[in-house]
Amino acid sequence: MSHFRLLLWLRWKYLWRATPARRVSFVIGFVFSTIAAVGVGAMVFAWVHTSRRNWPDLTGEFIALGFMLIYAGWLYLCSLSDLYDPQRLAPYPIRPRTLFWGSCAASVIGFTPLFGIGIWAGLTLGWPAPLPLAAWRSALLLVFLAHLVFLSRLIRLTFLEFLTSRRWRDLAVLLSVLIGGGFYAFFQLMQLEQFQNALQLVVAAARERVFSRFLLPFPSGWFARAWLADGPGAMTAAVAFIGVTAALVVLGGKIENRLAFSKPVFARAPRRKAGAPRPFLRGAVARVGRLFGADVAAIARKELTVLRRDPLIRTQLLTNLFWLFPVVIGPALAMRRGGPAPHLPDVLGGALLFYELIFLLNLLGTDGLALRALALLPVQRLRILFGKHVCYAAVFLPVNVAVLIVVTRVFGNAARLPRDLAYHAAAFVVLVGAGSLVSVYTPQRLVIPGQRRSRTVEHEGCARAFYRSLTMMATLLLLSPVALARYVLANLGPGLEAVLIVGSLGYAAALYGISLALAGRAFTAREERLVEFFARS
Amino acid sequence: MNDAPAIAVHELTKLFEGKRAVDRVSLTVARGEFFGFLGPNGAGKTTTIRMLCGLMKPTGGSAWVAGHDVVHDPLGVKARIGVLPDTVETFDRLTGWELVNFSGLMYGLPEAEVRRRAGVLLDLVDLDPADREKLVIDYSMGMRKKVALACALVHGPEVLFLDEPFNGIDALSTSALQKVLLDLVSRGVTVFYTSHVLEVVEKLCTRVGIIDQGRLLALGSVPELGMQAGLGPDASLQESFVKLLGRETRTGDLDWVRR
């Protein structure tokens, strides 16, 4: 079997085994990709057809814009799989040019070509042409798609060292959340009339020939000119585009060759800064140490460092912030329509606490397998839990207080702010206390989408999920006295409020003390089981 | 088979950002020799091996492996060597069986022959039939090493580069694999072996080279190294190694540790 065919075979195996449930996942992936590809085709068809019907003189402009969007979108979404990294295949006697061709051709294996077919169908049906022109356009489109595949691979090869670094992986996780969350927020904020305005802006720009003028210097502009085949420059543009595509192939082989003989990418020694690293939040941790003891400060610092450095946990924190949008946006839009939103601070405060529960009810989840190391420490288990509480209070409370102050000032009753903050603090303390018990009795792996896990890990099962939902309900039940004081008893008389606030805070403190003591004891008793639980993760 | 040495290195040099990772190393390894290549961490062992395997271009000097120039004919070198790296970064979504077959086919062997050899090799490294059908991602470190060794041997290499091959492999399998390697050497295969376990190097290798800070400090059999270190022919490899490196063994004053 030739090297080329082996590279294709490799891609097929990886595609088939991307998930444990191979056949089902493959069929689901195929069905969803087909639906998405039909959607893309329909969008392209609508784009071309509508522009030809409504603005026939501007169709060329829209085509230029469309190809630029496809070009940029493809490069943004292109898969950066490390399957064909030269350092991995370099030990075999394979020619760098074969590796480049093979890795690019392997892009055909998978669901991506469905989108190519969708784009082709949309363009061909949206702008019917005589057979020779249709054939020319189809051939050009094939070159266009090959060009995109070559360019994606070239980008990956050029930035391989950076793209395989831990720094990039951490950054990529954050970027994907920020971009995804940004789109989500954008569509929440954008309203239908604004979309209509945007379309008018695009039409106005097309009338001014903005797209052809500014996109012509770029390959997508050359391609658009070639595809339109409506002027003397079309053939020159086609030759230029095909020439650039051929140059990408030559360059790809050369870069592949350079990487196969370069310094090892995967075995690269990390560059270390001179001198000892400065401990994170040294001053704050020292103050915690003076207040509560060095062991509590050390645990709090460890937890803070994990929250700061672990990209998956950071992602979870950020994702939670984006999920707050529906809670904020709905009432904010309602207020714009005429009514105030006095309960928004309450709703938002509750939402913040709810999204923080994933950490507060799963204190040991961030440790995972490292719990074994924690178990070796001669520290009271109660103090380990307390150290974690100090960390979460330091991370979450300032954010909660800041958000509540801003939202109350904008939407709510500013006079109620001190009381709202007091009730919020009481609720937080109740959740933290109850969370220590829940964490010790129903620990959970911190499951985050995209996290790579071994195939042999069993799912936790319905009984465990049911047990955990019971503990969640019990936690909310423990919260009910604070809620009762805030929403029912406070309405009985204004003089009663001070007593209720003090009572709520006292209740929270007492519950916290009892829960922590019980959780500390339970942690000691169940330590072996807890370590075993995470070891199976 | 020609009479040229399996490995011939002359003034081999590699610079990284001006720093000499390998500094004018010259050595020759005969065909059918079990050669040990030792040095402390960061001495330049891996860089040297990568250059000899055609995976990295030297900054200066020259090297021939199995009669092929590593700079001008890297594909010729790769076709004749087998490599077992220290960390097994491989295609972990293939099964062990598929991975060995894939390797054999990448070396241009006929499919039927690859299947025959894969069966023999996986028997040899003691990977039972059920484990062969598991994905490599689910393997333990020892199983990964065994499969990687089978991949390195499937095409019948003339020279075998092994970087800590027994790391993570149990004692029983280690003993069996050592016998396999000695058998290969008796058939004319050259083994270029690096390890930090000096007792194993002393037991297996006919000659040893010691590298430190990119320079080859000493070269010879274990008794010859003892003589070069000024300790006499009966000195152990460990004693000679420490003496030749010329560094004091640090002990430190652990005054807080009580007896």
Side-chain angles (χ1 to χ4, degrees), chain A residues 1-3 5-7 9-10 13-14 17-20 22 82-84 87-96 257 259-267 271 452-456, chain B residues 14 16-17 46 50 53-57 70-71 74-76 78-79 81 83 89-95 98-99 101-109 111 133-135 137-138 151:
Chain A
M1 206 186 285
S2 70
H3 286 155
R5 279 177 61 200
L6 276 168
L7 293 177
W9 173 85
L10 203 57
K13 282 286 172 189
Y14 265 62
R17 289 175 180 161
T19 55
R22 293 170 197 170
D82 61 355
L83 181 59
Y84 297 116
Q87 296 285 335
R88 223 166 166 190
L89 282 156
Y92 296 110
I94 180 171
R95 292 184 186 284
N257 191 37
L259 283 170
F261 296 106
S262 69
K263 56 185 172 179
V265 172
F266 293 111
R271 285 181 190 168
R452 195 172 183 183
R453 297 169 71 189
S454 173
R455 221 165 50 93
T456 48
Chain B
K14 182 70 187 178
F16 284 132
E17 293 163 4
T46 305
R50 290 187 68 85
C53 294
L55 294 173
M56 186 185 278
K57 272 189 179 150
V70 297
V71 178
L75 292 186
K78 288 173 187 177
I81 63 170
V83 186
E89 294 282 351
T90 190
F91 300 102
D92 51 16
R93 292 275 163 185
L94 300 184
T95 65
E98 285 171 346
L99 187 59
N101 275 271
F102 171 76
S103 294
L105 294 170
M106 286 296 280
Y107 286 103
L109 297 173
E111 283 191 53
E133 296 308 319
K134 283 184 185 167
L135 298 190
I137 195 171
D138 294 330
C151 291

Side-chain angles (χ1 to χ4, degrees), chain A residues 35-48:
Chain A
I35 293 169
V38 169
V40 168
M43 277 166 61
V44 171
F45 172 81
W47 180 261
V48 179

Side-chain angles (χ1 to χ4, degrees), chain B:
Chain B
M1 187 188 289
N2 61 37
D3 294 331
I7 301 170
V9 177
H10 181 67
E11 300 273 307
L12 196 67
T13 302
K14 182 70 187 178
L15 299 179
F16 284 132
E17 293 163 4
K19 185 178 175 289
R20 282 180 184 269
V22 176
D23 192 2
R24 286 169 291 155
V25 167
S26 298
L27 58 88
T28 305
V29 180
R31 287 181 186 267
E33 190 173 353
F34 208 129
F35 184 81
F37 196 53
L38 309 181
N41 293 331
K45 298 188 298 293
T46 305
T47 305
T48 306
I49 289 178
R50 290 187 68 85
M51 286 192 283
L52 294 181
C53 294
L55 294 173
M56 186 185 278
K57 272 189 179 150
T59 312
S62 55
W64 286 265
V65 175
H68 293 259
D69 188 335
V70 297
V71 178
H72 298 109
D73 187 13
L75 292 186
V77 171
K78 288 173 187 177
R80 287 161 185 82
I81 63 170
V83 186
L84 178 61
D86 181 21
T87 52
V88 185
E89 294 282 351
T90 190
F91 300 102
D92 51 16
R93 292 275 163 185
L94 300 184
T95 65
W97 172 258
E98 285 171 346
L99 187 59
V100 179
N101 275 271
F102 171 76
S103 294
L105 294 170
M106 286 296 280
Y107 286 103
L109 297 173
E111 283 191 53
E113 180 60 13
V114 170
R115 275 200 295 276
R116 188 185 74 79
R117 291 187 189 186
V120 173
L121 281 166
L122 291 174
D123 281 343
L124 196 69
V125 297
D126 198 23
L127 201 70
D128 64 51
D131 287 334
R132 290 173 200 186
E133 296 308 319
K134 283 184 185 167
L135 298 190
V136 174
I137 195 171
D138 294 330
Y139 280 7
S140 66
M141 170 61 91
M143 286 158 82
R144 278 174 177 246
K145 283 260 170 169
K146 287 176 179 181
V147 169
L149 184 63
C151 291
L153 289 173
V154 70
H155 57 295
E158 293 175 37
V159 183
L160 202 51
F161 288 91
L162 307 175
D163 194 352
E164 293 286 2
F166 307 122
N167 203 0
I169 298 185
D170 63 80
L172 207 63
S173 301
T174 298
S175 174
L177 289 178
Q178 286 179 4
K179 280 184 188 156
V180 171
L181 293 177
L182 289 171
D183 182 45
L184 289 170
V185 168
S186 71
R187 291 163 188 260
V189 174
T190 308
V191 176
F192 195 93
Y193 173 67
T194 104
S195 172
H196 293 295
V197 187
L198 301 188
E199 291 81 1
V200 178
V201 177
E202 190 167 358
K203 180 179 151 194
L204 296 176
C205 297
T206 43
R207 274 197 321 145
V208 174
I210 296 175
I211 187 171
D212 187 30
Q213 295 176 347
R215 291 190 175 183
L216 192 67
L217 294 183
L219 185 66
S221 63
V222 174
E224 285 168 353
L225 290 180
M227 298 292 283
Q228 288 175 39
L231 296 171
D234 295 331
S236 70
L237 181 57
Q238 170 107 15
E239 290 165 338
S240 305
F241 180 76
V242 172
K243 184 78 192 299
L244 284 163
L245 287 178
R247 293 186 202 154
E248 292 293 319
T249 310
R250 291 175 194 168
T251 53
D253 184 13
L254 310 179
D255 59 352
W256 63 90
V257 180
R258 293 181 190 155
R259 287 186 186 176

Side-chain angles (χ1 to χ4, degrees), chain A residues 258-296:
Chain A
R258 185 178 68 77
L259 283 170
F261 296 106
S262 69
K263 56 185 172 179
V265 172
F266 293 111
R268 185 170 173 268
R271 285 181 190 168
R272 300 189 68 173
K273 286 179 185 167
R278 188 173 172 274
F280 183 53
L281 291 177
R282 186 170 47 186
V285 171
R287 275 194 292 280
V288 170
R290 277 197 295 276
L291 258 175
F292 304 117
D295 51 351
V296 170

Side-chain angles (χ1 to χ4, degrees), chain A residues 52-69:
Chain A
R52 285 190 68 224
R53 198 183 58 192
N54 296 338
W55 308 283
D57 54 323
L58 301 180
T59 308
E61 288 291 309
F62 287 122
I63 287 287
L65 178 63
F67 280 124
M68 190 276 285
L69 290 175

